[in-house]
Amino acid sequence: MMNAIAFLGNSTMRPSKCILRALTRLSPSRDTAFQSHPSPFSSFRNKNINNPDSNRISKPTNAVPFCTGIPSSVTAQVVSEARSLSASSTCTKDTTLDQRIAKNGVNVKIIERLEGDENAEKVINGDDKSIDRDGLEDNKRNEIEEEAWRLLRQSVVTYCDSPVGTMAANDPTDTTPLNYDQVFIRDFVPSALAFLMKGEGEIVRNFLLHTLQLQSWEKTVDCYSPGQGLMPASFKVRTLPLEEDKFEEVLDPDFGESAIGRVAPVDSGLWWIILLRAYGKITGDYSLQERVDVQTGIKMIANLCLADGFDMFPTLLVTDGSCMIDRRMGIHGHPLEIQALFYSALRSSREMLTVNESSKNLIRTINNRLSAISFHIRENYWVDKSKINEIYRYKTEEYSTDATNKFNIYPDQVSPWLMDWIPESPRSGFLVGNLQPAHMDFRFFTLGNLWSIVSSLGTPRQNQAILNLIEEKWNDLIGHMPLKICYPALESSEWHIITGSDPKNTPWSYHNGGSWPTLLWQFTLACIKMGRPELAEKAVTLAEKRLQADRWPEYYDTRDGKFIGKKSRLYQTWTIAGFLTSKQLLQNPEMASSLFWEEDLELLETCVCALTKSGRKKCSRAAAKSQILI
């Protein structure tokens, strides 16, 4: 407790010098590793990963660490014993593994016989008549997963001999990595989940504690400080030389002051809270979220997001570029992605906050906001054929508390593409991308819709309808590579005006209709929650055919995702981690329940959601239930 109090007094607002250490890009010729710890979750491990190095996280060996000023409340939990292997050493393979060698230019597959195994056979000169096509496909899938794990571990960033995150991309041929060699909070989430489901929680615990120290760092843009509780978008570890061969490790976080566009990350703190909950759920270690410093961190993020302002809506007002779509794409206002993450973070905070005199008012505020957001999104963001027809016939300039067209949406905003695209079936629909006065963004934003399913922001009927839409519009939203970040792309004059003629966001590229494989894990989680894993399996199988051959790109271009993005980074970590997390979820679907939220009827029962001539009134229980029954 004293360590935690000391931490709050000394490092909540300004971290000590030695906080994190960057991992320089590993040379392919090096084989360095951390010792892994026995996992209490071995039953959930991926049974297809048999590589004896698969439980190791790499670290550099070309420098001598000299860390100073480390807060004991953090490092007591994060420092682990490390060992180095010779660069020229070789690892002894498990004899159950298939081994491949080259002999006279011919691939030779050797299957070693285990003692007492009557079914084991040796296959020589590639003549393998005992293995059927399914077996070969299984072996190929195993090889892809093994490579993915190897690449994920090579991207690990360490600090004082402890793993603390993964760099955004780890392409050894990239001479201008820009900020892709940094650890991004949002990018690390799929990596964290992959490690957690494999029973390796240390890296996630370290990440959560060290990024917590970065809250409210006193960096500025043009002499203006970010709000208290803001989490950085990313961090980079720099090494400062000292005397002789020693160095000091210093973390350099980026709150947007170095980012393209200079936009602060709204979603970083939300992802941090969501990951903190996932860590406790999967590992069973709830002591982390009960710490005084962690409880304070949750409160700071929640207070920052719940602060009163000029906005009349319960949704969170943000600017363009403040989330996964980090460039100008016309999502300023109340984008669905942020609202779904905001809702998830508030539900997580309510679960984790210790109830006492200092937190009861915050918890009450969280409950009120959750109720309001839930009703607002379900009622006003939802569209299907019937709703679009209603909007198409809206009256405008209505002045009253009981107006039908509350946001003064002009019918001409209903684009012809939408009227042609929306399915006839009432069983299909989606949540629009944005809503604010006189503006309704009818684009389909995948992350926001998927996370609305995961968090139960949408009703059960709506959640099923979103998956129905994806299935019905598979060629548009999935195509050759899952999944479109948004649909459709902005083109012609719309692209010029809304993106500012952004050369990276040209039509059907990057954030403007590009396909992002990292969205696979969220799609998989949503499908498992709604009892439709076959959709996720179909998408993962599709991605599996190309990701390894294409060197794990960041995103894909063209209307159907056929080509690697023109400016796509290769060996993108969250592409790799998203694939691995999807595979693990499909192999162990029971783990998914730790990552999603079920419907909460109590929130609907207390929802302040309607305006009448006499003022606001509470939803009745019957009205609340009418919103969710299928």
Side-chain angles (χ1 to χ4, degrees):
M1 178 65 73
M2 294 302 297
N3 283 340
I5 293 173
F7 166 83
L8 291 174
N10 298 328
S11 62
T12 299
M13 296 300 294
R14 184 188 294 275
S16 61
K17 283 187 176 181
C18 183
I19 298 174
L20 296 174
R21 187 177 86 185
L23 171 65
T24 55
R25 184 164 287 125
L26 292 179
S27 167
S29 64
R30 291 190 177 272
D31 182 9
T32 57
F34 280 105
Q35 289 179 329
S36 62
H37 298 278
S39 167
F41 304 97
S42 58
S43 62
F44 295 127
R45 287 178 179 265
N46 186 338
K47 298 178 177 58
N48 291 327
I49 305 300
N50 295 316
N51 189 337
D53 292 327
S54 65
N55 294 329
R56 298 175 181 153
I57 298 176
S58 301
K59 74 176 187 70
T61 58
N62 56 356
V64 178
F66 182 78
C67 295
T68 59
I70 307 171
S72 60
S73 62
V74 173
T75 56
Q77 301 295 333
V78 301
V79 178
S80 63
E81 180 183 0
R83 66 182 175 91
S84 299
L85 301 177
S86 169
S88 61
S89 65
T90 58
C91 296
T92 302
K93 299 287 186 180
D94 191 317
T95 55
T96 61
L97 284 177
D98 290 349
Q99 303 176 22
R100 294 187 182 273
I101 62 173
K103 183 175 181 181
N104 297 327
V106 179
N107 285 331
V108 179
K109 185 175 180 182
I110 301 176
I111 301 178
E112 299 290 349
R113 182 187 298 274
L114 289 176
E115 184 176 353
D117 185 356
E118 299 297 333
N119 296 321
E121 298 182 11
K122 287 187 178 181
V123 182
I124 302 177
N125 292 333
D127 184 13
D128 183 4
K129 298 180 180 179
S130 64
I131 298 180
D132 57 19
R133 185 178 300 275
D134 290 340
L136 292 174
E137 290 178 356
D138 287 342
N139 289 337
K140 178 62 176 177
R141 283 193 287 267
N142 291 347
E143 290 173 7
I144 294 172
E145 289 183 52
E146 287 172 10
E147 178 181 298
W149 277 112
R150 177 178 59 80
L151 292 171
L152 180 61
R153 295 183 190 286
Q154 286 182 353
S155 72
V156 167
V157 172
T158 61
Y159 161 62
C160 292
D161 295 332
S162 293
V164 292
T166 51
M167 65 181 73
N170 192 22
D171 182 359
T173 65
D174 188 357
T175 58
T176 56
L178 298 178
N179 58 351
Y180 281 79
D181 61 350
Q182 299 188 25
V183 179
F184 282 79
I185 289 185
R186 82 172 66 94
D187 290 37
F188 179 67
V189 172
S191 298
L193 296 180
F195 285 124
L196 284 174
M197 288 189 287
K198 202 168 178 62
E200 302 174 28
E202 181 194 12
I203 185 173
V204 184
R205 182 184 179 91
N206 298 347
F207 172 85
L208 290 167
L209 288 172
H210 287 299
T211 49
L212 176 64
Q213 289 188 311
L214 302 180
Q215 275 186 309
S216 299
W217 184 268
E218 295 177 6
K219 292 245 181 174
T220 63
V221 178
D222 295 334
C223 304
Y224 185 80
S225 299
Q228 187 181 46
L230 181 70
M231 284 287 191
S234 63
F235 60 80
K236 183 178 178 64
V237 185
R238 303 187 186 279
T239 56
L240 303 181
L242 297 177
E243 71 280 359
E244 299 176 352
D245 294 330
K246 297 180 180 178
F247 64 86
E248 184 179 33
E249 298 167 337
V250 179
L251 174 64
D252 185 12
D254 180 11
F255 289 88
E257 74 280 354
S258 300
I260 298 172
R262 302 299 190 268
V263 180
V266 176
D267 62 341
S268 290
L270 306 179
W271 278 121
W272 185 87
I273 290 177
I274 291 168
L275 182 57
L276 176 64
R277 173 187 180 266
Y279 173 84
K281 287 278 189 177
I282 294 176
T283 66
D285 176 16
Y286 295 100
S287 62
L288 180 63
Q289 58 190 238
E290 294 168 357
R291 289 171 44 143
V292 175
D293 52 346
V294 174
Q295 287 282 309
T296 301
I298 297 172
K299 292 174 184 176
M300 290 173 68
I301 295 171
N303 284 324
L304 178 64
C305 294
L306 293 168
D308 293 333
F310 293 99
D311 202 12
M312 292 292 292
F313 306 145
T315 42
L316 195 59
L317 180 64
V318 297
T319 60
D320 249 341
S322 61
C323 52
M324 178 183 176
I325 297 177
D326 58 6
R327 299 168 79 94
R328 179 177 167 187
M329 269 287 290
I331 63 167
H332 57 279
H334 306 85
L336 178 64
E337 174 184 331
I338 290 296
Q339 312 319 319
L341 293 175
F342 182 35
Y343 185 78
S344 303
L346 290 182
R347 291 196 66 174
S348 299
S349 299
R350 189 180 62 165
E351 289 181 33
M352 296 186 294
L353 282 172
T354 302
V355 181
N356 52 40
E357 285 299 316
S358 66
S359 65
K360 64 180 183 180
N361 288 336
L362 177 59
I363 293 174
R364 184 184 304 113
T365 302
I366 287 174
N367 281 328
N368 290 339
R369 183 63 73 91
L370 282 170
S371 296
I373 292 175
S374 178
F375 179 83
H376 180 74
I377 296 293
R378 294 176 177 195
E379 180 71 12
N380 300 311
Y381 276 61
W382 181 254
V383 293
D384 51 20
K385 182 188 175 184
S386 175
K387 182 67 175 181
I388 292 172
N389 204 159
E390 179 185 331
I391 296 171
Y392 185 66
R393 293 171 52 80
Y394 265 169
K395 296 179 181 179
T396 57
E397 316 300 329
E398 293 182 287
Y399 177 80
S400 69
T401 57
D402 57 355
T404 300
N405 187 2
K406 292 183 290 186
F407 303 99
N408 202 35
I409 304 299
Y410 299 106
D412 286 346
Q413 288 187 39
V414 182
S415 303
W417 76 263
L418 178 64
M419 301 177 77
D420 294 334
W421 191 72
I422 195 72
E424 289 283 337
S425 171
R427 296 177 58 254
S428 297
F430 66 99
L431 296 166
V432 298
N434 209 334
L435 178 66
Q436 52 191 325
H439 175 65
M440 201 172 205
D441 188 343
F442 289 102
R443 286 176 291 175
F444 179 90
F445 286 87
T446 302
L447 178 57
N449 275 275
L450 293 180
W451 210 252
S452 295
I453 297 174
V454 171
S455 65
S456 287
L457 178 56
T459 70
R461 181 187 288 118
Q462 290 171 349
N463 294 340
Q464 285 288 3
I466 292 170
L467 292 183
N468 290 340
L469 176 79
I470 294 175
E471 183 176 26
E472 193 163 343
K473 297 297 180 180
W474 188 269
N475 290 337
D476 292 332
L477 302 177
I478 306 292
H480 285 81
M481 176 57 64
L483 288 115
K484 277 273 177 282
I485 192 170
C486 69
Y487 183 90
L490 299 171
E491 300 184 271
S492 303
S493 60
E494 222 181 5
W495 168 74
H496 283 285
I497 295 169
I498 294 179
T499 75
S501 301
D502 186 348
K504 194 169 184 179
N505 270 332
T506 51
W508 307 108
S509 179
Y510 199 52
H511 293 320
N512 189 16
S515 298
W516 291 71
T518 188
L519 294 173
L520 267 174
W521 75 268
Q522 289 156 107
F523 181 56
T524 301
L525 185 58
C527 290
I528 292 175
K529 180 189 175 184
M530 303 309 297
R532 303 179 67 178
E534 71 283 354
L535 283 181
E537 289 172 355
K538 182 180 176 182
V540 171
T541 300
L542 189 65
E544 197 168 34
K545 294 177 180 178
R546 295 189 59 190
L547 287 177
Q548 182 187 42
D550 293 343
R551 293 173 293 172
W552 309 93
E554 179 183 14
Y555 65 93
Y556 285 78
D557 279 357
T558 70
R559 185 184 290 267
D560 56 4
K562 186 179 295 185
F563 294 95
I564 298 172
K566 59 186 175 183
K567 296 187 178 180
S568 176
R569 302 285 170 151
L570 302 179
Y571 300 103
Q572 186 79 10
T573 303
W574 71 347
T575 295
I576 298 165
F579 169 76
L580 288 173
T581 300
S582 297
K583 296 288 285 189
Q584 288 179 297
L585 285 170
L586 289 172
Q587 291 160 6
N588 303 290
E590 66 276 9
M591 295 290 285
S593 60
S594 299
L595 303 175
F596 60 68
W597 292 259
E598 297 291 355
E599 182 70 285
D600 188 340
L601 284 175
E602 291 184 6
L603 287 177
L604 298 175
E605 188 178 36
T606 60
C607 179
V608 179
C609 68
L611 283 172
T612 66
K613 293 180 180 179
S614 59
R616 296 185 181 274
K617 69 177 182 179
K618 289 187 177 182
C619 289
S620 67
R621 186 73 168 182
K625 286 185 176 181
S626 70
Q627 288 289 322
I628 67 165
L629 292 179
I630 298 178

